[in-house]
């Protein structure tokens, strides 16, 4: 059995959490990540019959029965992941009709997965239904996207169009746009269900006055997705109070669609 700390998925998870912290997106215990692993890759590093403990989830995700996830721990700081991965991360397998998480590695201080586990698991189900390659759900608190939810309309078409207009590459990176939830109580099954519903039509879901969720096929792509939206929000927050003299037109957006072979969300461009 190989050392799990050398597994490419572990190295990438640690690098990503560290990078997110360095970007200022994950103060204190803010943010959480779940990465779906294949049984074959887990078996290279862990005895999958050796369950450390069974942790009740508090909802059921039968679609994910038998699936493996590397997940950040509740109350844990992204800042510390690189120094103590075994305390701050865990590998779990969903069992019992997706009602229980079997711990196979990690949460070494007796901890458990993120408080946003419902939003993560329900979002995995929603994204897998539209994209069989989806493996990652990522949540964090980037300052400019958050700031935008105080001063910009929360209408999804308007919010998306504003972000697309802030950097030329936005429409190419997230042609499906950004969905937006109003303020809701976090850590609940309700916000999990609402997030998953929004994930059916976009890979980015803003939680107003809280943060953002991203989904994608790997950690790098999902990080890049949030990074691009956050850059656009930063431009917006720099210019929103100034007279706008010119912007990217819908005609130019259509040129980007054609040149990069992407299709903007239906009805979002004039
Ligand atoms: O505690 O970000 O939404 C981590 C969070 C909760
Ligand atoms: Zn949060």
């Amino acid at each position: 059995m190989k050392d799990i700390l050398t597994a490419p998925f572990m190295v990438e998870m640690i690098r990503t959490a560290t990078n997110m912290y360095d970007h200022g997106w994950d103060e204190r215990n803010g943010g959480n990540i779940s990465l779906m692993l294949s049984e074959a890759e887990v078996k290279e590093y862990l005895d999958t019959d050796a369950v450390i403990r069974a942790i009740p989830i508090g909802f059921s995700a039968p679609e994910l029965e038998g699936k493996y996830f590397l997940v950040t721990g509740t109350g844990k700081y992204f800042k510390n992941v690189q120094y103590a991965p075994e305390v701050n991360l865990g590998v779990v397998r969903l069992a019992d009709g997706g009602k229980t998480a079997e711990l196979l590695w990690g949460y070494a201080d007796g901890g458990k997965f993120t408080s946003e586990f419902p939003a993560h698991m329900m979002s995995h189900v929603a994204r897998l239904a539209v994209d069989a390659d989806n493996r990652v759900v990522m949540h964090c608190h980037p300052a400019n996207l958050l700031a935008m939810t105080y001063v910009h309309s929360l209408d999804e078409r308007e919010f998306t169009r504003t972000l697309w207009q802030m950097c030329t590459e936005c429409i190419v990176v997230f042609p499906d746009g950004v969905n937006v939830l109003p303020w809701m109580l976090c850590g609940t099954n309700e916000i999990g269900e609402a997030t998953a519903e929004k994930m059916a039509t976009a890979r980015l879901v803003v939680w107003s006055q809280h943060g953002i969720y991203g989904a994608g096929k790997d950690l790098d792509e999902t990080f890049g997705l949030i990074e691009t939206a956050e850059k656009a929000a930063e431009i917006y927050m720099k210019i929103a109070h100034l007279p706008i003299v010119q912007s990217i037109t819908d005609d130019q957006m259509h040129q980007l669609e054609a040149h990069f072979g992407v299709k903007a969300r239906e009805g979002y461009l004039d």
Side-chain angles (χ1 to χ4, degrees):
M1 206 78 71
K2 295 190 274 183
D3 177 1
I4 195 168
L5 294 177
T6 67
F9 59 78
M10 185 67 69
V11 171
E12 194 59 23
M13 183 71 147
I14 294 168
R15 284 185 185 156
T16 302
T18 304
N19 196 15
M20 291 172 76
Y21 174 73
D22 290 342
H23 274 65
W25 300 349
D26 297 279
E27 73 291 343
R28 199 175 180 273
N29 64 319
N32 24 77
I33 312 172
S34 58
L35 167 66
M36 199 169 108
L37 305 170
S38 72
E39 180 156 72
E41 64 188 334
V42 173
K43 277 185 185 291
E44 287 183 46
Y45 305 95
L46 297 175
D47 174 358
T48 52
D49 293 326
V51 175
I52 300 168
R53 52 198 159 93
I55 312 172
I57 299 179
F59 68 95
S60 76
E63 302 88 341
L64 299 177
E65 161 106 46
K67 300 286 189 206
Y68 295 82
F69 293 91
L70 175 60
V71 192
T72 53
T74 183
K76 298 297 190 265
Y77 296 16
F78 274 32
K79 176 171 72 70
N80 297 335
V81 168
Q82 61 177 321
Y83 305 114
E86 196 161 354
V87 173
N88 293 289
L89 303 173
V91 174
V92 295
R93 175 179 56 215
L94 267 56
D96 185 24
K99 290 202 285 285
T100 303
E102 296 176 324
L103 181 64
L104 299 173
W105 175 86
Y107 307 142
D109 62 353
K112 65 174 196 170
F113 40 75
T114 168
S115 59
E116 304 295 359
F117 204 60
H120 278 255
M121 293 303 112
M122 293 177 198
S123 293
H124 276 284
V125 172
R127 285 312 302 170
L128 285 167
V130 292
D131 175 10
D133 293 331
N134 196 85
R135 295 289 177 273
V136 176
V137 173
M138 183 181 281
H139 166 65
C140 56
H141 305 159
N144 293 288
L145 280 163
L146 236 150
M148 240 181 109
T149 66
Y150 289 83
V151 298
H152 193 282
S153 149
L154 299 181
D155 176 83
E156 290 169 343
R157 183 178 184 273
E158 290 307 312
F159 203 95
T160 297
R161 285 178 54 83
T162 294
L163 291 178
W164 284 351
Q165 286 162 356
M166 294 304 111
C167 310
T168 293
E169 298 221 310
C170 279
I171 194 168
V172 180
V173 175
F174 50 94
D176 46 346
V178 176
N179 285 341
V180 182
L181 285 178
W183 187 92
M184 290 179 73
L185 187 61
C186 54
T188 62
N189 289 350
E190 288 69 28
I191 201 168
E193 283 158 15
T195 306
E197 205 181 304
K198 294 291 187 190
M199 280 282 179
T201 50
R203 292 169 299 147
L204 287 167
V205 179
V206 167
W207 282 9
S208 294
Q209 296 84 46
H210 182 138
I212 191 161
Y213 267 76
K217 67 175 163 48
D218 58 36
L219 289 164
D220 225 23
E221 186 202 64
T222 313
F223 178 93
L225 186 63
I226 294 176
E227 185 181 30
T228 307
E230 170 61 5
K231 167 63 79 68
E234 181 179 354
I235 311 291
Y236 177 77
M237 294 308 297
K238 282 187 200 294
I239 66 171
H241 60 294
L242 298 171
I244 306 298
V245 179
Q246 57 271 315
S247 182
I248 306 172
T249 65
D250 281 31
D251 177 59
Q252 289 165 336
M253 299 275 185
H254 286 301
Q255 291 180 42
L256 287 162
E257 278 187 294
H259 187 74
F260 288 98
V262 298
K263 185 79 197 81
R265 177 99 162 245
E266 191 63 41
Y268 274 32
L269 291 180
D270 294 331

